[in-house]
């Protein structure tokens, strides 16, 4: 599974990345996590509100910081 956090580097974007990383680390998940801060790359996902989380190429969450519970559900934990 590949997870990308889209964001320009704002506080909400950093908090979202940290929350996703925490869930992955705490559960020992084999997930490739990265973040995309380049606005031109972000625009390819047709996302207008950040932060956003992309799972295997599909935008699954956008516009808010998800709870750890929501991230667990998203990642199938």
């Amino acid at each position: 599974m590949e997870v990308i956090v889209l964001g320009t580097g704002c506080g909400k974007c950093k908090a979202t990345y940290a929350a996703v990383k925490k869930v992955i680390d705490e559960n020992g998940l084999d997930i490739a996590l990265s973040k995309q801060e380049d606005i031109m790359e972000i625009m390819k996902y047709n996302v207008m509100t950040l932060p956003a989380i992309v799972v295997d190429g599909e935008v699954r969450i956008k516009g808010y910081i998800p709870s750890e519970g929501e991230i667990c559900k998203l990642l199938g934990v």
Side-chain angles (χ1 to χ4, degrees):
M1 180 182 290
E2 179 185 22
V3 176
I4 304 169
V5 176
L6 305 178
T8 56
C10 68
K12 287 183 179 181
C13 299
K14 290 177 182 177
T16 299
Y17 180 85
V20 173
K21 181 164 178 36
K22 180 179 179 189
V23 168
I24 290 171
D25 291 346
E26 285 181 352
N27 293 284
L29 303 175
D30 184 24
I31 294 177
L33 175 64
S34 62
K35 58 183 164 181
Q36 181 56 259
E37 295 182 348
D38 183 322
I39 194 67
M40 297 309 286
E41 291 297 318
I42 292 170
M43 289 175 63
K44 292 179 182 178
Y45 291 96
N46 289 324
V47 174
M48 298 304 288
T49 54
L50 298 173
I53 299 176
V54 178
V55 178
D56 291 334
E58 180 183 344
V59 177
R60 302 291 300 274
I61 293 176
K62 59 184 173 184
Y64 65 96
I65 303 169
S67 68
E68 286 186 27
E70 191 173 358
I71 295 167
C72 287
K73 187 176 177 182
L74 182 69
L75 301 179
V77 176

